[in-house]
Amino acid sequence: MSPRSPRRFGALLLAPTVSLGLLGAVPARAEPVDGATATVSGPVPVTADSYPFMSADGPEVPPIQEEDPIEADLAAHDYVEEEFLLEGTAEHPDAGAVPYLTRMVVRRPARADDFSGTAFLEWNNVSFGQDIEIDWFLSHEYFMGEGHVWVGLSAQRVGVDALRAWDPDRYGDLTVGGPELSDAPAFDIYSQTARALREPLGVDPLPGFGVDTVVATGHSQSARYLAEYHNRFHPDHEAVDAFMIHGAPTALDESSTPVMRLMAETDVRFRAQSQEPDSEHFRRWEVAGTAHVGHTEYRTFAPLIARENPATEPQRCDRPPYSRVPFHYVLNAAYDHVIDWVEDGAAPPVAPRLEWDDATTASRDEHGNQLGGIRLVEHEVATALNHGDNTGDPFCVLLGTHVPFEEETLRELYPRRGGYAAQVLQAVNRAQRGGYIRHEDAHESRRSALEASYPWW
């Protein structure tokens, strides 16, 4: 593997050529190649010096600011990770047929018999200037616990360019078109990859698995691209069965394909956004107290960024960053609902929206926590301010805030352990009955909250 030049995490966050979903715009689109499928080759060999970027099976990851990283234990779930190359021709309205060679990472059960039948195809996020597997980082325990397949696709030029620079020996031949094409070929590449999961050309990346359902998923900038894909490409191709679009407000056309839009508190800037109507094939959920990038994601991807690009640094925010309200618990529940929606026609429950004082001012309690929305116990029975916003370095606005309450406030709110425990159980049970949190995550949420201990109890 070739030497890697040091890169600063802060510099990656501030890359001027990319943007998160709240900030970025989708480029001009390509017209799809009807029915085309990527040709798959691989898996790409793994050695001590050559492994997939952001590999879950790669070298040990370093700690981050004295916090233990969250790592996905593939072996404990009897999962394997393989990287494949995808080759084909994507259509572009100006340049015509554009040859491409890119890659996807597949994490799957070791045995086909353990496969659930559902594959999640993530449009890797490139807002940090390189491929970031946000949905995997958030929900890897869910994917592996349920026997789902997760696939991460390098669809955009920024991510592919970064791969070539990171390891020229492994990725030097990858290309998804030059700068003059922006990311227009990415949409057709996505369709072709989705088809390859069911009926591959070349190597079968899922031998004997028999994929029943493909869910398109992506966060932030990737969600913006998926929204555009849903509106412009999906009606003609129908290469996927459902969409999970989270962290981006891009308008969605009405369709007969199930779509969920899941939004953190950070992502909902105006009351008008919360008025987006649910419909027969669309649900919008908003999660109070959560951040566009929260604590779980940070503890998962920051160590991997530091491993792949040493000498990285975090953003410097004015308040302690990263909300501790576990957005991924709601995401996991939403994934379950989407699968049921596709397979059984059972639509997800309608969820309460965040509350607003006026068009731009969120309604908040006396501690600053937002009212309304889906309310997990970490927010409903609060021991801290968990806010969707922050200030400081430019990307701090997306990292949220976490400020533990002072002892005086905690004594007033929870004078006795029994009363606190009762509130915890009621809040978790309420979220679980509403369908906003799964049984497994509800158990973990109860356990974590009830571990709290204060001297006056």
Side-chain angles (χ1 to χ4, degrees), residues 60-71:
E60 183 178 355
V61 298
I64 48 169
Q65 295 184 315
E66 301 180 355
E67 288 192 87
D68 291 332
I70 298 174
E71 297 186 71

Side-chain angles (χ1 to χ4, degrees), residues 199 219 303 371:
E199 297 180 355
H219 177 61
L371 302 175

Side-chain angles (χ1 to χ4, degrees), residues 428 432 437-448:
V428 175
Q432 189 175 354
I437 186 171
R438 304 170 71 243
H439 169 78
E440 296 85 352
D441 293 328
H443 174 77
E444 181 62 22
S445 202
R446 290 188 195 95
R447 184 196 63 77
S448 296

Side-chain angles (χ1 to χ4, degrees), residues 327-346:
F327 178 89
H328 63 290
Y329 287 175
V330 181
L331 179 61
N332 295 345
Y335 281 143
D336 267 1
H337 285 302
V338 164
I339 295 169
D340 291 342
W341 208 355
V342 171
E343 297 181 353
D344 304 324

Side-chain angles (χ1 to χ4, degrees), residues 242 254 256-260 278-285 333-351 433-436:
E254 184 66 27
S256 59
T257 299
V259 180
M260 285 201 74
D278 294 310
S279 69
E280 182 181 359
H281 302 292
F282 175 77
R283 288 290 185 273
R284 178 188 176 105
W285 285 5
Y335 281 143
D336 267 1
H337 285 302
V338 164
I339 295 169
D340 291 342
W341 208 355
V342 171
E343 297 181 353
D344 304 324
V350 172
R433 286 196 304 270
Y436 310 129

